[in-house]
Amino acid sequence: MAQMLATKASNGFDWIDLAMPTDEEIKQVARQYTLHEASIKDSMQPDHLPKYELFDNYTFVIFRLLAADAVPDADTIQELTNKISIFFNDDYLITVHRSEQWLIDQTKTKRIDTGKCDSTLNLLNALVRESLLTFERPGMKLSEQLDYYEERVFLRQQNSPILRGLYFVKRKIDVIRKLMLLSYEIVDNIDSPEQSNVYTRDLRDLYVRTQTLFDNLSENTAQLLSVYFSLASQRTNETMRILTIFSVFFMPITFIAGVYGMNFRFMPELDWWFGYPSALMLMVAISVAIYLWFKRKGWL
C-alpha cells in the first residue's frame, strides 16, 4: 500500500511510504522516480543487511530495527529485526517495508506533523535515530540476563538450561553487534563534515553509545562462557581425582584378594589359623599407609 506522508508543497519534499507493496506498486514508483533495478531488488529482499549506496540521482539506504514481536528464542537477523529500505535525494524520500511499522507513523507524528523536518536528510536522520533507539532497552535487558547467568555460573549451579539461556543471549548480542557494524556507514555518511549539525552529531553519539553497550555485552558473554566451561572442567577434574584416589586405595586390596582367591592346593597361607585376619590386617595397613602418603603429598 502506497501513502503520501509529506508533500513538496507543504514540507519541501515528498515522502512516499510503501508498506507491503505489490510488484505493480514498486514498478510504478520505480518508473516515476527512475530507481535502479538493483536497488529495487535489494529493497524487496527480507534478509538484506544494512547498507549505504550512492546512485546517479539518489541515495539508497537499508537499515534494520529490532522487531517488537520477536519470539524469546529468536536468534537470527530476520527473526530479531525488521528491514526498512529508503530511496532519497533533496526532492523526495521513499520508504519501503514488508510489514506495518510503528516507526513510520511515529516519525511522521513527531517530525512531519509538527513541521520540525524541513529536508530529506533530517527525515533520514530521524528514522535512523528511532531505529537505533529500538536496540537500547533490549540491550539493557540482555545485560540483566547476563548478570543473572553470571551469578548462577559463579554459584556453581550448572545445568543445561543455563547453557541454553547463555546461548540465546550470546546469539542475540552477536546479531545486534553485526547490525551495528554494518550500520556505521549509514551514520558516517549522514554525519559527514559537509552536512554535520547538532542532530547528526546526536545520531552519531547514540550510535557510538549503542555500539559500545553491545561490544561490552559481547565481551562479558564470552568471558562468562569461558568461566562456565572452566568451572565445568574443574568439576570433572575433581570427580576424576576422587575416583583415582579410590582406585589407588582398592588396587592393592583387590590384588591381595585376587591372590588368595585362586585357591591352589599348595598355598600354605590357606591353612594358617590366623590367615584370614592377617590378610584383613594387611589390607588395612596398606590402606592406612596410602592415606598417610596422600596426606603428606597434599593430595587429600
Side-chain angles (χ1 to χ4, degrees), residues 4 8-9 27 35 51 80 90 98 125 143 176 201 216 220 228-229 249 266 269 273 281 296:
M4 182 69 75
K8 197 166 186 177
K27 290 178 182 178
L35 304 180
K51 69 184 298 185
L80 281 171
D90 292 338
R98 295 174 62 89
N125 183 87
S143 180
I176 296 173
R201 288 193 295 272
N216 290 336
N220 292 340
Y228 180 92
F229 290 120
F249 274 98
F266 299 103
E269 294 88 350
W273 181 263
M281 290 177 64
R296 185 177 179 183

Side-chain angles (χ1 to χ4, degrees), residues 222-286:
Q223 292 174 2
L224 184 56
L225 283 171
S226 177
V227 169
Y228 180 92
F229 290 120
S230 296
L231 290 176
S233 177
Q234 182 181 357
R235 291 187 65 190
T236 302
N237 292 338
E238 183 68 19
T239 302
M240 293 301 299
R241 187 179 73 86
I242 293 173
L243 292 176
T244 302
I245 290 173
F246 274 107
S247 68
V248 170
F249 274 98
F250 282 99
M251 279 174 59
I253 296 175
T254 304
F255 172 75
I256 295 172
V259 169
Y260 289 105
M262 291 187 291
N263 292 322
F264 287 117
R265 182 176 180 180
F266 299 103
M267 292 180 68
E269 294 88 350
L270 296 178
D271 296 326
W272 290 358
W273 181 263
F274 294 104
Y276 176 66
S278 297
L280 291 179
M281 290 177 64
L282 178 61
M283 294 179 184
V284 171
I286 291 175

Side-chain angles (χ1 to χ4, degrees), residues 65 82-84 97 99-106:
L65 64 152
N82 293 324
K83 177 176 74 74
I84 296 181
H97 44 97
S99 59
E100 293 293 339
Q101 291 295 338
W102 59 267
L103 178 70
I104 301 296
D105 296 332
Q106 180 173 297

Side-chain angles (χ1 to χ4, degrees), residues 4-270:
M4 182 69 75
L5 301 182
T7 61
K8 197 166 186 177
S10 303
N11 307 98
F13 60 90
D14 293 332
W15 179 11
I16 302 95
D17 181 60
L18 299 174
M20 296 177 290
T22 63
D23 291 340
E24 184 57 36
E25 288 176 330
I26 281 287
K27 290 178 182 178
Q28 181 180 351
V29 171
R31 286 193 300 267
Q32 181 178 353
Y33 294 96
T34 321
L35 304 180
H36 196 278
E37 182 181 354
S39 59
I40 289 294
K41 183 178 179 182
D42 289 345
S43 70
M44 297 304 292
Q45 291 180 354
D47 55 350
H48 206 293
L49 297 175
K51 69 184 298 185
Y52 189 99
E53 193 172 6
L54 296 174
F55 286 86
D56 292 337
N57 59 328
Y58 66 91
T59 302
F60 177 56
V61 176
I62 293 178
F63 64 87
R64 306 190 73 97
L65 64 152
L66 209 62
D69 56 349
V71 297
D73 290 346
D75 62 350
T76 65
I77 288 179
Q78 193 166 347
E79 290 175 338
L80 281 171
T81 61
N82 293 324
K83 177 176 74 74
I84 296 181
S85 303
I86 294 179
F87 307 83
F88 79 97
N89 60 19
D90 292 338
D91 297 322
Y92 63 81
L93 186 143
I94 303 170
T95 49
V96 182
H97 44 97
R98 295 174 62 89
S99 59
E100 293 293 339
Q101 291 295 338
W102 59 267
L103 178 70
I104 301 296
D105 296 332
Q106 180 173 297
T107 305
K108 179 181 181 298
T109 302
K110 287 184 176 180
R111 301 290 179 173
I112 300 300
D113 295 346
T114 58
K116 294 181 179 179
C117 199
D118 57 359
S119 69
T120 55
L121 183 62
N122 287 343
L123 179 57
L124 176 66
N125 183 87
L127 289 169
V128 175
R129 185 179 188 281
E130 292 296 333
S131 71
L132 288 176
L133 285 173
T134 62
F135 296 100
E136 195 167 43
R137 183 174 296 177
M140 296 300 180
K141 185 176 180 181
L142 287 173
S143 180
E144 293 174 0
Q145 289 179 330
L146 197 60
D147 290 340
Y148 165 77
Y149 289 119
E150 185 174 13
E151 181 183 354
R152 296 292 298 274
V153 165
F154 281 107
L155 289 176
R156 301 172 67 89
Q157 299 177 5
Q158 301 177 22
N159 48 47
S160 55
I162 287 182
L163 193 59
R164 175 181 170 84
L166 275 174
Y167 165 78
F168 283 114
V169 169
K170 184 179 184 302
R171 282 289 300 157
K172 290 176 182 178
I173 292 172
D174 288 344
V175 167
I176 296 173
R177 279 191 74 222
K178 184 177 182 180
L179 290 177
M180 290 295 105
L181 289 173
L182 293 172
S183 300
Y184 172 76
E185 188 179 4
I186 299 173
V187 176
D188 192 53
N189 279 277
I190 293 175
D191 188 40
S192 64
E194 297 81 12
Q195 54 196 19
S196 179
N197 57 45
V198 63
Y199 299 108
T200 60
R201 288 193 295 272
D202 179 65
L203 174 65
R204 184 182 290 275
D205 291 342
L206 174 62
Y207 171 81
V208 171
R209 186 171 71 246
T210 307
Q211 185 185 39
T212 302
L213 169 64
F214 283 96
D215 284 345
N216 290 336
L217 287 175
S218 179
E219 292 176 7
N220 292 340
T221 307
Q223 292 174 2
L224 184 56
L225 283 171
S226 177
V227 169
Y228 180 92
F229 290 120
S230 296
L231 290 176
S233 177
Q234 182 181 357
R235 291 187 65 190
T236 302
N237 292 338
E238 183 68 19
T239 302
M240 293 301 299
R241 187 179 73 86
I242 293 173
L243 292 176
T244 302
I245 290 173
F246 274 107
S247 68
V248 170
F249 274 98
F250 282 99
M251 279 174 59
I253 296 175
T254 304
F255 172 75
I256 295 172
V259 169
Y260 289 105
M262 291 187 291
N263 292 322
F264 287 117
R265 182 176 180 180
F266 299 103
M267 292 180 68
E269 294 88 350
L270 296 178

